[in-house]
């Protein structure tokens, strides 16, 4: 699995805030190539890590990388949205820390056959779990209505030209199915006016982000997983979440606030009836950002934000 190499972002900051117990049990919900997990295992020689990932290639790569740590590393091929089920199957009732490194990994982007990147021509796939029975990006662009596509591209990509892009997609697919990333990029470029394409990021960036999020249902599973993770933390246990764009970070921020509340009843209600209990105390009032040295070494870290909560 030599192609599955990934430089973990905010590594030192994450480990410093997450790992607090020498013989702790930590859950890496987005294992990837195993960079964060390896740092946890190296930090404390008695610690253990449960690594979860829905990408089977990631599980294989991390298994090779973490093989020297023996049974201190446990690997689970699953989606982190099934956090409670995974813990129950492993017969684990409490953990000392949980890490969520959201978004897409560098190997998924760089492995062009996966269809995540607008820089390479490849089958239009974008499924993080390629063995799952789920719609691919090609299925969405060829089957969704123009209105559904426009809403998806605007909501998940925050693309101002969403309606025009959706219109051009629907016009083109009447002639032939859109099956590759290259075909989709050319359609997007044709849809966005030339002046709007002259500055800023690649014209297909936002649309590709939107499709990837929709294919993998990335945003809807963040809040429920954070709540499940917080419930499994022991007192003093840490929940660390790394986000990479505003849509993710907004959910993470609001979820942290919700988990830190002791009551969610209306302000004018005299007696509490919600039964909501505070689960965490927020450690990071403002997110931790990458330093200049990391940004020089790894430009892909530029949008990363780390937020941390501690179980009360």
């Amino acid at each position: 699995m030599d192609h599955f190499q990934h430089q973990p972002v905010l590594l030192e900051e994450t480990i410093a805030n997450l790992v607090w117990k020498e013989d702790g049990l930590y859950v890496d919900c987005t294992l990837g190539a195993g960079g964060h997990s390896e740092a946890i295992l190296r930090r404390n020689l008695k610690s253990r890590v449960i690594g979860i990932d829905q990408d089977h290639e990631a599980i294989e790569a991390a298994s090779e990388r973490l093989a020297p740590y023996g049974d201190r590393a446990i690997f689970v091929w699953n989606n982190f949205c099934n956090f409670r089920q995974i813990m129950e199957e492993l017969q684990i009732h409490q953990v000392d820390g949980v890490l969520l490194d959201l978004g897409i990994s560098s190997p998924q982007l760089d492995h062009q056959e996966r269809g995540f990147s607008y820089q390479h021509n490849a089958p239009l796939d974008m499924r993080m779990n390629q063995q799952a029975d789920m719609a691919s990006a090609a299925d969405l662009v060829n089957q969704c209505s123009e209105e559904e596509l426009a809403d998806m591209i605007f909501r998940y990509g925050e693309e101002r030209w969403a309606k025009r892009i959706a219109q051009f997609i629907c016009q083109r697919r009447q002639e032939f199915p859109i099956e590759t990333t290259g075909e989709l990029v050319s359609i997007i470029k044709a849809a966005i006016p030339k002046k709007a394409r002259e500055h800023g990021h690649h014209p297909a960036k936002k649309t590709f982000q939107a499709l990837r999020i929709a294919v993998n249902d990335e945003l809807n599973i963040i809040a429920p997983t954070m709540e499940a993770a917080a419930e499994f933390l022991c007192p003093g246990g840490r929940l660390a979440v790394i986000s990479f764009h505003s849509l993710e970070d907004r959910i993470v921020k609001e979820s942290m606030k919700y988990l830190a509340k002791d009551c969610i009843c209306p302000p004018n209600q005299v007696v509490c009836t919600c039964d909501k209990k505070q689960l965490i105390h927020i450690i990071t009032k403002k997110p931790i950002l990458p330093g200049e040295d990391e940004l020089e070494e790894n430009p892909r870290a530029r949008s990363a934000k780390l937020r941390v909560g501690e179980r009360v």
Side-chain angles (χ1 to χ4, degrees):
M1 300 301 293
D2 291 338
H3 71 271
F4 209 100
Q5 300 294 323
H6 176 60
Q7 188 171 357
V9 303
L10 290 164
L11 181 61
E12 295 301 323
E13 295 88 345
T14 299
I15 301 306
N17 281 278
L18 178 69
V19 181
W20 62 281
K21 192 175 180 182
E22 183 177 351
D23 58 347
L25 174 60
Y26 299 91
V27 183
D28 186 349
C29 288
T30 42
L31 179 62
H36 284 113
S37 287
E38 184 175 37
I40 295 170
L41 294 168
R42 292 177 62 182
R43 174 73 173 259
N44 291 322
L45 299 182
K46 294 182 179 180
S47 61
R48 294 175 295 150
V49 171
I50 299 169
I52 303 170
D53 208 296
Q54 63 178 320
D55 190 329
H56 198 264
E57 289 187 357
I59 292 290
E60 291 180 351
S63 297
E64 292 180 12
R65 179 174 186 169
L66 303 181
Y69 299 95
D71 59 6
R72 292 173 57 204
I74 301 168
F75 306 98
V76 179
W77 178 32
N78 207 327
N79 190 314
F80 63 66
C81 70
N82 299 314
F83 189 93
R84 286 189 180 89
Q85 175 189 334
I86 294 168
M87 294 300 107
E88 289 170 2
E89 290 178 353
L90 293 174
Q91 298 184 341
I92 292 171
H93 306 292
Q94 279 193 334
V95 298
D96 299 292
V98 178
L99 170 64
L100 277 163
D101 182 3
L102 302 173
I104 189 171
S105 67
S106 295
Q108 290 169 330
L109 277 174
D110 296 337
H111 192 190
Q112 63 187 56
E113 289 82 3
R114 302 293 299 271
F116 286 104
S117 175
Y118 44 79
Q119 304 285 5
H120 309 287
N121 189 30
L124 193 55
D125 192 337
M126 300 194 190
R127 291 172 300 160
M128 291 185 179
N129 182 355
Q130 291 185 304
Q131 284 73 36
D133 183 17
M134 59 194 297
S136 67
D139 293 327
L140 294 184
V141 299
N142 287 296
Q143 297 173 13
C144 289
S145 68
E146 183 176 324
E147 183 178 348
E148 288 172 332
L149 282 171
D151 179 68
M152 181 192 307
I153 296 169
F154 180 76
R155 184 190 308 175
Y156 296 149
E158 299 181 297
E159 171 61 75
R160 61 174 296 199
W161 300 102
K163 288 185 178 180
R164 188 172 165 89
I165 292 170
Q167 180 185 16
F168 274 56
I169 288 173
C170 292
Q171 289 175 350
R172 184 65 63 86
R173 75 188 188 190
Q174 290 179 359
E175 302 172 17
F176 52 81
I178 303 166
E179 298 178 340
T180 69
T181 56
E183 290 168 356
L184 182 57
V185 168
S186 67
I187 294 169
I188 295 169
K189 286 182 176 179
I192 299 177
K194 184 178 179 180
K195 285 189 176 180
R197 288 188 274 114
E198 289 178 350
H199 306 287
H201 54 71
H202 191 285
K205 179 180 180 179
K206 293 182 177 181
T207 299
F208 270 61
Q209 173 184 296
L211 286 170
R212 190 201 80 219
I213 289 173
V215 166
N216 298 286
D217 195 26
E218 293 178 31
L219 300 184
N220 291 326
I221 62 178
I222 296 174
T225 302
M226 288 178 63
E227 183 168 3
E231 291 173 358
F232 274 84
L233 287 174
C234 68
R238 297 291 183 90
L239 172 61
V241 187
I242 303 173
S243 62
F244 286 87
H245 55 76
S246 60
L247 297 175
E248 287 177 344
D249 186 58
R250 194 176 302 129
I251 295 172
V252 174
K253 181 180 179 180
E254 292 305 314
S255 296
M256 286 279 188
K257 287 181 178 179
Y258 174 80
L259 295 172
K261 287 182 178 179
D262 198 36
C263 175
I264 55 173
C265 291
N268 59 349
Q269 185 169 313
V270 179
V271 180
C272 176
T273 58
C274 70
D275 293 326
K276 169 76 171 63
K277 300 298 181 184
Q278 180 183 6
L279 289 177
I280 67 167
H281 164 68
I282 298 175
I283 301 296
T284 51
K285 300 303 179 183
K286 292 185 178 181
I288 298 172
L289 307 178
E292 291 184 7
D293 291 343
E294 179 173 5
L295 291 177
E296 287 184 12
E297 187 176 345
N298 182 17
R300 286 180 175 173
R302 63 185 177 275
S303 58
K305 293 181 179 179
L306 170 65
R307 296 184 185 272
V308 184
E310 180 181 287
R311 185 69 153 91
V312 297

